[in-house]
Every structure is written in C-alpha cells, then in structure tokens.
Amino acid sequence: GSWEETFKTHTDTKPNGPASVGLDFSLPGFEHVYGIPEHAESLRLRTTEGGDPYRLYNLDVFQYELYNPMALYGSVPLLLAHSARRTLGIFWLNAAETWVDISSNTAGKTLFGKLLDYMQGGGETPQTDVRWMSESGIVDVFLLLGPAPAAVTGQYAALTGTQALPPLFALGYHQSRWNYNDEEDVAAVERGFEEHAVPCDVLWLDIEHADGKRYFTWDPSKFPRPRAMLERLAAKKRKMVSIVDPHIKVDSGYRVHNELRSRGFYVKTKDGSDYEGWCWPGSAAYPDFTNPEMRAWWASMFAYDQYEVRSPPGGERGPPASPSAPPGGPEVTMHKDAVHHGGWEHRDLHNLYGLYVQMATAEGQIQRSGGQHRPFVLSRAFFAGSQRYGAVWTGDNTAEWEHLKISIPMCLSFGLAGLSFCGADVGGFFKNPEAELLVRWYQAGAFQPFFRAHAHLDTARREPWLFGEENAALIRAAVRQRYALLPYWYTAFYHSHRHGVPVMRPLWMEYPEDTATFAIDDQYMIDRALLVHPVTEQGARGVQVYLPGKGEVWYDVTSHQKHHAPQTLYVPVTISSVPVFQRGGTVVPRQERVRRST
C-alpha cells in the first residue's frame, strides 16, 4: 500500500510514495483534553485506546453517529489540555488526513481507585498522551503555553485570526428548509412571520432555487422575478440567503462551466484532464480554490451584474457557500491523487478546500458592496482559520433528543477552536420532530451563536406556527428572548473578534481552578455574564444547574432570585422554562421592544 492502494474499482496512486508524518506528545499533570473538532462527541475528549483514533478528514456524512471518533464536515487540528494549574494547546498545522490517538494513565480508574492510590502514597502523576498522525506534509506544530484559558485561545487567534464580526442581521433568527418551492411559497412564509408576530431576519433558499442546480442562476418557472422578491423582503427589513455549492454542472450551455473550463480553473486528474465527480447537478467539476486567480474570478461572480439578480436596494448581502465535500472516490469526496494549482496533490490539502471556498465567497461579497458591508457566509466545511470568513454549523443532524443534547458540546468544541459563530439546525435536519422537541430546540437554539431552523426535503413543514397556538406561543417567546438579548450577543461577538475568546464557552474557561467544571457540557457561559442550561431531556420536570465561583452570586434572569455559589441547584422546569442565570456584578443590556427583525 505504500505506492498505491485499491478499493473496489478505485485505485489511489501515490506518486510520492509513503509520506506520512507523526509525533507523540506527553502531557504530565493533565487529565482533561478538548478540541479537534468536528466530532459528534462530548466536550471532554475520551481516550481512544481499544478503538479508532479521532479522525480529521472533511467529508459529506449522511446521518452521522453520535459519540463516535469518525470524521465529519470540518477539521481543526487544535487540541487543548486543561488542569487547575494551567491550560495549554497543541496546534498541528497539517491539512492532510489526520488521526489523533489519546491515551491516559488514569483512564478507567474510578474515583475510589484514584483515592486509594493517593492514600497509599503511590499512583503516578496523571498524564495524557496524544499521538498525531497525518498522511502527508511536514511536522509543523505550535505549542500554545497559556497559562490561562483565554491566553491559549488568544495565542491560537494570533496564529489563525479571530472570528469575523458578523453583520447584526446574521445574529437574528434564520428560517430555512430544503426547499422553499417558489416565489409564492417565500411570500407565504414571510407573511406567516408577520401574522404570528415572530421576529425573523433571513429567509433561505436551498439548491432547488437554481436553474437545474446551475449555481448563480434562478429557476425561470419557480423564481421568475428574483429581484422583485428580494425587494419585497427588503421593504420589511428582511434578507435572503441563497446557496452556492462548489460543484459546477458539466454543461456546455452553462456560462459558469464554460468560463471555468476555458480558463483552466478546474481541479485536474493525475493525467491532467479536468477532474469530474457526481453531485446534485449530476456530472460536476470542481473549481480549484487553491489557485488565487480562480478565487479572484469566483469572488467577481458575486457582483450584481454577474449573479443574476441585479442590485437590490440597499445592497442586500446574499449567497453563502455551503461547500460540500466533492464526491467521486471510495468515500464521498475527491480522489486523493487529483492535482491542484502548483502541482499539489489533493491528499496534501484536502481539509483546506472548504476554507478557500468560504474565503473567496466572503471576498466576493465585500467587493460587491465596495467594502461597505460585512459579509455573511455560512460553510459546513472548515479548517483552522475559517473563523475569519463567517459562520459554521454542525451539519445534517437528526430530529432526536440526543442530537439536541450533542449540539451543546459540539458548539463548545467549535468555539475552543476559534469558530465562535456556530449553531445546529433547529428541529433537526432529518426526520420530523414532535412538538415538545421542536419547542426545546428553539429554546436551546436561541442561546447558541448561530440561530437557524433548517430541514430536509422529505420532512413535513415545520414553520413556528404549524404546531398549534400553544406551541407557537412558546416558540415566539424563545425567538423574542433572542432578540431582546441582541445587544449582548453583538457585544460578545465584538469581544471575540478583538480578543479571540469564544462567544459560547465552557464553564472552566471562566472558572479555571474549579475542577467540578472540567467535564460539564450541558451548561455553558455566553461571554462572561450569562450561564445557560437548556432543557434537553424529554418530559423534564427539573434540571441540576451548577453555579460556580467561590463567594460569587448568581441571579435567575426570570425570577431575579439570588443564589450563592458554588452550589448545585435543582431548578424545577415547565415547558416554557429556559434556565438562565446572570452573574452578580455584571450588566446585560436588553432590547425589550418587539420588532420584526434586527
């Protein structure tokens, strides 16, 4: 397998032969490690002894499994270790397929066993060992020495950049599904938000809006007057986001394809012809986003005289790239021996492809507004540094309670790796949520950085008012809570943009010496003043909330009741409850007047 490997009908040639690199790190005194997103995993990483290592390899995964080290849509090779004494980070800068093995000398030991070791004066110092392995590239590793948690995230931000400050509208509520059928459907959904007094900033169009999945175009029968549609939304101070994927339909009647082919801008096969895969449009070719000239051309395609909309009033910001991994190999992704600009093999830079798509798309939006408007671009694929170009999300989740629950540690892990603008599809992408799950998901989503409902083509419609008046009122209340806190969210993002701190962060970042916080991932802080414990259990009557901080006080934001910390508090809940506590001595500005959008 050193020079070529075969899987079914596919052969991966390896012209450079065996090129893998690896390095082991020992972390004496550390039992808790975090990071290396994206995995559907608890916040504190588990040891991988006796199983597969954590894999970092951007893939288009259909219905992913939970608590599994399998690779998902994005990869950030940053691991954080934390103890009561210090925090440190290991940033393994490599965009090839990477595996991370974690072992520990305390794994599997019970608290009693550790106590016994201590009393007998034996027992080793706790230690975690981390092994990094990448298929190709060089050993290029940065040790982030902290010692405080915010110092580590700041050091990582100094290397890769901070979270782009989102435009305010992007922090509002987004309504999406695959797909809103036509202009009449869009108008009806928008009317629903007016009639039911639910605030909403953005309506989304998925792949069906384009003419035969030819991106940068509109289906002439379903969306014959896109400009008028956008103007109607703009009149209500709302915006539209459309999808643009980086797989281009191979069709000689399609201007975008012809231009890319004639300029030689596609990724090539090992034999030098244009690489072709198979995706939504059918046979598709892939622009080579590693080529700066190609990226400049792609950016120019978002100009109003190129993207077939013409300029809507006020220069509404539009399309996000949602770069899906290009299909065609044994996994749903590009062949590793495909060739990029400068002769690089795809295997060397696979995890970077999505970052470059988001970069070029964001640049196109900035250029389009003459540098006047901050862009909004959402991407499912990402790498170290993607935070500079926009938002990310946890991909194609499922309408199940466990998926609601895992959205919290997944977003916390994203934040530790610099990606502060993160969220999960409210309600779950696959399957149909029952009313209670949908309500709880809105309540949780309203307290996560990116707040968007999204759903699969085959699911039943689930706009906020379709589950009866009682549930509509609960959802309306959750969305209004989000809008009331917008000044706080916006300021939190400014802090993140300036200092590289996560917006949504684990308790141990604020209370680094409190060992009780080290494994908590069902509650979290938003910036430094609000502690949130969403209800993620079906039929819950109450939740246990840990209030940290010796000598500190916390206030229940609904009842204003005062609680002394540290303590574990049993909070009774009803279907309308979202347990949120404000830290004593902080100011949280609120915007109480209800408006239709930001």
Side-chain angles (χ1 to χ4, degrees):
S2 295
W3 293 85
E4 84 172 24
E5 276 182 271
T6 303
F7 180 87
K8 293 182 180 169
T9 58
H10 173 64
T11 299
D12 174 25
T13 57
K14 298 183 184 179
N16 301 321
S20 61
V21 292
L23 196 57
D24 291 18
F25 295 83
S26 291
L27 305 171
F30 289 93
E31 289 184 80
H32 295 78
V33 291
Y34 311 88
I36 54 169
E38 177 181 21
H39 300 97
E41 181 59 280
S42 52
L43 173 65
R44 180 196 179 183
L45 299 170
R46 293 175 297 163
T47 57
T48 55
E49 293 156 304
D52 285 341
Y54 286 104
R55 186 183 187 207
L56 295 172
Y57 192 62
N58 296 5
L59 292 171
D60 186 354
V61 181
F62 182 79
Q63 293 188 317
Y64 54 83
E65 296 168 32
L66 305 186
Y67 304 105
N68 189 307
M70 67 191 271
L72 289 177
Y73 311 95
S75 306
V76 180
L78 169 72
L79 181 130
L80 282 77
H82 178 72
S83 73
R85 287 178 50 238
R86 73 178 307 143
T87 312
L88 56 82
I90 301 171
F91 176 35
W92 176 266
L93 182 52
N94 191 311
E97 179 178 358
T98 296
W99 299 79
V100 185
D101 236 336
I102 299 170
S103 58
S104 153
N105 63 0
T106 56
K109 275 193 189 171
T110 61
L111 191 60
F112 179 71
K114 289 180 195 173
L115 211 61
L116 201 65
D117 283 349
Y118 178 74
M119 284 161 66
Q120 291 169 347
E124 319 146 84
T125 306
Q127 178 167 309
T128 300
D129 295 316
V130 181
R131 169 174 292 175
W132 297 80
M133 299 164 280
S134 291
E135 184 181 0
S136 64
I138 60 170
V139 173
D140 190 6
V141 64
F142 298 81
L143 300 178
L144 314 174
L145 296 178
V152 173
T153 56
Q155 287 152 4
Y156 176 71
L159 294 170
T160 63
T162 61
Q163 175 64 55
L165 182 64
L168 180 61
F169 81 83
L171 298 180
Y173 171 64
H174 300 249
Q175 180 68 45
S176 178
R177 76 173 279 112
W178 172 27
N179 208 92
Y180 288 119
N181 302 322
D182 49 33
E183 288 175 14
E184 290 68 37
D185 196 6
V186 169
V189 170
E190 205 263 343
R191 250 191 335 271
F193 282 98
E194 291 292 303
E195 288 164 9
H196 297 89
V198 178
C200 176
D201 265 81
V202 192
L203 291 178
W204 289 55
L205 292 179
D206 213 302
I207 54 178
E208 311 302 329
H209 81 277
D211 183 8
K213 319 280 194 300
R214 296 170 183 85
Y215 305 109
F216 301 104
T217 70
W218 297 83
D219 183 306
S221 57
K222 295 175 183 169
F223 296 93
R225 293 175 299 281
R227 181 171 177 178
M229 174 178 66
L230 292 176
E231 283 169 348
R232 280 195 301 275
L233 283 173
K236 294 275 178 66
K237 303 289 188 228
R238 293 195 171 106
K239 304 188 187 290
M240 174 163 276
V241 162
S242 59
I243 192 171
V244 177
D245 276 341
H247 45 253
I248 302 299
K249 187 178 176 72
V250 175
D251 170 9
S252 57
Y254 177 27
R255 177 177 70 94
V256 174
H257 165 69
N258 289 338
E259 199 157 335
L260 283 161
R261 179 155 280 180
S262 68
R263 289 172 182 247
F265 280 165
Y266 281 132
V267 176
K268 303 284 186 258
T269 66
K270 61 179 187 284
D271 306 318
S273 57
D274 287 346
Y275 174 86
E276 283 184 24
W278 190 265
C279 205
W280 300 117
S283 190
Y286 293 83
D288 186 357
F289 284 88
T290 66
N291 180 346
E293 281 179 54
M294 200 317 283
R295 291 201 300 274
W297 177 85
W298 181 268
S300 75
M301 286 300 295
F302 290 88
Y304 292 121
D305 60 350
Q306 295 290 332
Y307 198 125
E308 300 176 16
V309 178
R310 309 296 176 258
S311 172
E316 304 300 329
R317 312 148 185 86
S322 163
S324 175
E331 294 186 284
V332 186
T333 189
M334 190 176 285
H335 296 175
K336 286 181 168 179
D337 54 9
V339 179
H340 289 267
H341 177 69
W344 291 98
E345 272 196 295
H346 185 69
R347 84 180 74 248
D348 300 319
L349 46 84
H350 172 89
N351 290 343
L352 265 172
Y353 189 84
L355 175 139
Y356 279 132
V357 181
Q358 196 175 14
M359 174 196 280
T361 307
E363 187 51 44
Q365 288 193 8
I366 293 168
Q367 284 174 16
R368 177 173 73 183
S369 73
Q372 294 299 300
H373 296 304
R374 278 170 275 156
F376 170 68
V377 186
L378 175 76
S379 173
R380 197 174 59 174
F382 54 82
F383 187 66
S386 288
Q387 64 270 14
R388 302 199 303 275
Y389 308 112
V392 292
W393 91 105
T394 63
D396 299 345
N397 59 2
T398 303
E400 290 168 358
W401 288 93
E402 286 298 312
H403 276 263
L404 165 58
K405 208 174 291 179
I406 202 121
S407 70
I408 299 170
M410 286 182 80
C411 280
L412 287 171
S413 296
F414 279 54
L416 289 174
L419 303 158
S420 264
F421 201 5
C422 161
D425 289 346
V426 169
F429 179 70
F430 291 110
K431 301 189 181 174
N432 296 304
E434 67 214 59
E436 185 194 357
L437 175 59
L438 186 65
V439 166
R440 289 301 192 201
W441 215 314
Y442 269 97
Q443 291 169 345
F447 288 94
Q448 290 177 1
F450 176 55
F451 184 24
R452 178 184 76 144
H454 185 50
H456 188 275
L457 190 68
D458 297 332
T459 58
R461 292 294 282 254
R462 56 165 100 132
E463 284 72 39
W465 49 87
L466 295 179
F467 288 75
E469 187 40 54
E470 200 180 317
N471 292 309
L474 291 164
I475 291 171
R476 182 188 301 117
V479 177
R480 285 181 175 184
Q481 270 191 296
R482 169 58 165 235
Y483 279 75
L485 282 170
L486 276 170
Y488 183 72
W489 279 107
Y490 205 23
T491 305
F493 268 95
Y494 179 74
H495 292 157
S496 184
H497 175 63
R498 287 300 302 272
H499 306 297
V501 287
V503 168
M504 173 180 172
R505 59 185 79 142
L507 268 58
W508 59 259
M509 275 206 81
E510 289 295 314
Y511 299 92
E513 290 170 17
D514 185 346
T515 53
T517 65
F518 294 179
I520 291 179
D521 60 9
D522 55 357
Q523 58 180 75
Y524 54 91
M525 302 289 297
I526 301 170
D527 208 33
R528 56 177 304 274
L530 290 181
L531 184 152
V532 189
H533 190 312
V535 181
T536 59
E537 296 282 351
Q538 187 171 10
R541 298 280 175 85
V543 294
Q544 298 280 356
V545 178
Y546 180 68
L547 299 175
K550 200 172 172 43
E552 291 200 26
V553 290
W554 292 87
Y555 296 87
D556 183 315
V557 299
T558 347
S559 67
H560 305 298
Q561 196 177 343
K562 178 177 177 178
H563 302 280
H564 289 272
Q567 66 159 307
T568 299
L569 186 69
Y570 178 78
V571 182
V573 297
T574 65
I575 186 62
S576 63
S577 315
V578 192
V580 181
F581 295 84
Q582 183 174 339
R583 194 174 188 168
T586 61
V587 176
V588 172
R590 293 175 64 87
Q591 189 171 301
E592 294 290 2
R593 183 183 297 178
V594 178
R595 298 185 182 275
R596 62 161 58 89
S597 72
T598 55

